């Protein structure tokens, strides 16, 4: 990737990047395979990441946060993971840092922040966001898990599936139905609440070290004081935070694609067939030239959005565009990189093979490509004609 396509990094960014690289090398890379076998990272990983400050960007200083928002720091951490073929292994950290934290920082009362932020920022409390249900994920407004008011509590019944961090989670921000139509609310449910059970790890084709489980709620009592925002305001909060969720998945997609390109280029230079390097065949040269061009164009767009998000100006449609484009690009790039590796590209010990299975889900979670294109199209005024 051309260095001049990047926003310039300040000495603080460069310093953080060095620390993050060392962190990934010391605390993630050596444990990847063991986590894949146990289908989740060790809880202690979160606490170690807390000392690096991963969860504190955008969070107030009084609770242990950085006291400022600069999404470049969030992006740098994920890029450091991808550089060392550890994006899937570190995904649970990104889930907490980039996707769950904004709910706790921006959609809570002062009293709730004082209870939940110190542990979440320190990494002693592991947080999950539970929206998807067995009956459907794309149509968030159709959530069926119910929360019925009983005195100062809600009584929650239902189930969630595919929930990242669920197995380790201490706090599960859960979307529940509190009324008809789009009347959803968000409740922060302790992972140890009576009546809450977690399924075993879901066997996935990739991202095997990520903690993904089902959650079942049977008459779980949750104090009204643990509701985020207004009753019935859940969907508005979810929509607000999906912008950052989609931006970070776009960051993952591009970082993963750039890493796959780097691996493929090195292989194309070194691997020989018919007396020359395979990269010297015109077809392969063109493949790599096309990938390089697409990556540079994608990088220029993403680098424009990151500062916009930092200053609170990122439009949710831009985030949707970036998410579907970067993740579909990643899918294409990784697939072509596997082809360039030949049989080795299909061997699990090769990072490019891991990238192939690990990255596939990116076009599915955080809004499928189809849902995002639908949103973008609707923003262009293309709605179903009510006259039929
Ligand atoms: C590894 C992993 C981790 C996850 N982590 C979490 C998590 O932490 N928290 C959480 O809440 N969820 C999580 N999810 C769930 C994820 O967000 C959903 O899988 C996703 O939203 C899609 O929902 P679905 O699987 O029910 O598919 P469906 O909604 O059933 O969609 C199936 C297909 O239909 C298409 N489709 C649906 N509606 C339309 C439409 N209007 N127009 C065109 N096509 C349409 C979709 O694009 C898709 O191709 C995770 C999923 C995975 C696999």
């Amino acid at each position: 990737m051309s260095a001049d396509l990047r926003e310039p990094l300040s000495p603080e960014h460069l310093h953080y990047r060095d620390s993050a690289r060392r962190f990934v090398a010391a605390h993630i890379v050596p444990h990847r395979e063991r986590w894949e076998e146990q289908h989740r990272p060790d809880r202690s990983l979160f606490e170690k990441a807390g000392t690096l400050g991963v969860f504190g960007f955008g969070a107030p200083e009084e609770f242990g946060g950085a006291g400022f928002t600069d999404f470049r720091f969030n992006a740098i951490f994920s890029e450091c993971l991808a550089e060392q073929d550890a994006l899937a292994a570190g995904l649970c950290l990104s889930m907490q840092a980039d996707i769950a934290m904004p709910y706790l920082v921006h959609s809570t009362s002062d009293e709730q922040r004082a209870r939940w932020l110190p542990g979440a920022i320190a990494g002693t409390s592991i947080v999950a966001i539970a929206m998807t249900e067995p009956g459907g994920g794309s149509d968030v407004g159709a959530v069926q898990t119910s929360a019925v008011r009983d005195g100062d509590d809600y009584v929650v019944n239902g189930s969630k599936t595919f929930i990242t961090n669920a197995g380790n989670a201490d706090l599960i921000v859960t979307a529940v139905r509190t009324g008809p139509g789009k009347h959803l609310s968000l409740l922060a449910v302790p992972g140890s609440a009576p009546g809450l059970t977690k399924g075993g790890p879901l066997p996935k084709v990739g991202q095997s070290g990520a903690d993904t489980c089902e959650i079942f709620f049977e008459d779980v009592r949750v104090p009204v004081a643990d509701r985020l925002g207004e009753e019935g305001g859940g969907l508005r909060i979810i929509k607000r935070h999906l912008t950052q969720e989609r931006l970070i998945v776009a960051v993952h997609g591009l970082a993963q694609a750039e890493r796959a390109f780097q691996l493929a280029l090195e292989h194309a230079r070194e691997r020989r067939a018919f007396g020359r390097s395979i990269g010297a065949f015109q077809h392969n040269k063109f493949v790599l030239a096309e990938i390089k061009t697409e990556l540079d164009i994608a990088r220029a767009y993403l680098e424009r959005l990151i500062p916009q998000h930092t200053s609170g100006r990122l439009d949710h449609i831009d985030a949707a565009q970036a998410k579907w484009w970067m993740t579909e690009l990643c899918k294409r790039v990784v697939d072509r990189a596997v082809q360039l590796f030949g049989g080795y590209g299909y061997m699990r010990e090769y990072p490019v093979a891991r990238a192939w299975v690990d990255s596939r889900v990116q076009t599915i979670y955080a809004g499928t490509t189809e849902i995002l294109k639908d949103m973008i199209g609707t923003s262009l005024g293309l709605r179903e004609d009510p006259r039929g």
Side-chain angles (χ1 to χ4, degrees):
M1 201 229 346
S2 310
D4 56 3
L5 290 172
R6 307 210 71 139
E7 281 287 300
L9 294 179
S10 68
E12 290 75 26
H13 292 123
L14 291 171
H15 177 73
Y16 179 70
R17 189 171 66 181
D18 287 344
S19 307
R21 281 179 172 153
R22 283 197 301 276
F23 179 89
V24 173
H27 300 298
I28 297 186
V29 172
H31 305 291
R32 264 184 314 205
E33 285 177 22
R34 189 169 53 76
W35 294 343
E36 286 182 5
E37 280 160 25
Q38 69 190 30
H39 299 294
R40 72 180 56 155
D42 297 334
R43 282 187 61 89
S44 59
L45 172 68
F46 288 78
E47 214 168 324
K48 288 175 190 149
T51 61
L52 180 68
V54 170
F55 307 122
F57 296 113
E61 263 178 309
E62 59 180 309
F63 303 122
F68 62 85
T69 298
D70 179 348
F71 200 70
R72 169 50 73 204
F73 285 99
N74 302 58
I76 285 172
F77 186 73
S78 288
E79 288 163 4
C80 290
L81 290 169
E83 272 173 18
Q84 296 184 54
D85 305 312
L87 193 53
L91 197 86
C92 290
L93 297 180
S94 178
M95 173 68 216
Q96 175 145 337
D98 307 312
I99 298 174
M101 288 307 298
Y103 285 81
L104 301 187
V105 172
H106 298 293
S107 300
T108 44
S109 64
D110 289 345
E111 182 275 328
Q112 290 172 332
R113 279 193 278 281
R115 277 195 286 141
W116 296 330
L117 281 185
I121 293 170
T124 50
S125 172
I126 299 177
V127 189
I129 303 288
M131 292 191 257
T132 305
E133 302 189 344
S138 297
D139 186 2
V140 183
V143 155
Q144 293 299 314
T145 296
S146 64
V148 176
R149 191 76 183 256
D150 182 25
D152 291 337
D153 291 340
Y154 287 102
V155 180
V156 180
N157 281 287
S159 62
K160 300 285 175 182
T161 193
F162 307 144
I163 307 306
T164 306
N165 279 350
N168 278 332
D170 300 296
L171 196 66
I172 303 167
V173 176
T174 308
V176 292
R177 172 161 299 286
T178 39
K182 304 277 181 195
H183 202 280
L184 303 188
S185 302
L186 293 175
L187 301 179
V189 188
S192 58
L196 184 154
T197 49
K198 299 171 180 176
L202 291 165
K204 305 187 290 296
V205 293
Q207 298 192 350
S208 303
D211 171 10
T212 319
C213 302
E214 291 169 289
I215 306 174
F216 305 96
F217 301 84
E218 204 179 327
D219 292 332
V220 178
R221 297 193 80 87
V222 183
V224 172
D226 292 352
R227 188 187 66 224
L228 278 68
E230 298 290 306
E231 185 176 285
L235 209 50
R236 205 171 47 246
I237 298 176
I238 292 168
K239 282 187 179 159
R240 173 180 181 196
H241 298 310
L242 278 173
T243 300
Q244 175 157 318
E245 176 169 340
R246 288 174 180 155
L247 184 61
I248 197 65
V249 178
V251 168
H252 293 172
L254 185 55
Q256 181 82 85
E258 287 171 348
R259 174 65 179 149
F261 170 69
Q262 185 192 9
L263 292 167
L265 182 60
E266 283 164 14
H267 187 76
R269 285 176 177 147
E270 284 161 17
R271 180 76 174 171
R272 296 183 69 80
F274 301 95
R276 63 177 85 167
S277 69
I278 58 163
F281 296 111
Q282 190 187 43
H283 171 81
N284 298 335
K285 203 189 279 184
F286 278 19
V287 165
L288 288 161
E290 286 166 13
I291 296 175
K292 167 83 167 75
T293 309
E294 285 193 86
L295 290 178
D296 281 359
I297 292 168
R299 174 55 66 186
Y301 182 49
L302 194 62
E303 292 292 318
R304 201 178 85 196
L305 302 194
I306 290 172
Q308 284 179 2
H309 185 53
T310 295
S311 59
R313 289 179 295 113
L314 178 63
D315 187 80
H316 69 288
I317 295 296
D318 268 315
Q321 289 181 175
K323 196 274 179 182
W324 87 256
W325 179 261
M326 305 298 160
T327 57
E328 292 288 343
L329 173 64
C330 181
K331 199 162 84 177
R332 289 198 302 278
V333 169
V334 171
D335 192 71
R336 298 179 100 180
V338 166
Q339 189 70 16
L340 279 165
F341 267 82
Y344 295 102
Y346 204 62
M347 298 297 121
R348 273 189 74 79
E349 71 178 282
Y350 278 73
V352 74
R354 298 288 188 95
W356 188 53
V357 286
D358 290 339
S359 64
R360 180 61 185 85
V361 70
Q362 291 175 343
T363 62
I364 295 172
Y365 57 34
T368 65
T369 296
E370 296 75 27
I371 291 294
L372 299 180
K373 287 182 181 174
D374 188 65
M375 263 178 66
I376 297 160
T378 302
S379 78
L380 298 173
L382 304 171
R383 292 170 197 277
E384 210 174 304
D385 187 341
R387 291 165 302 181

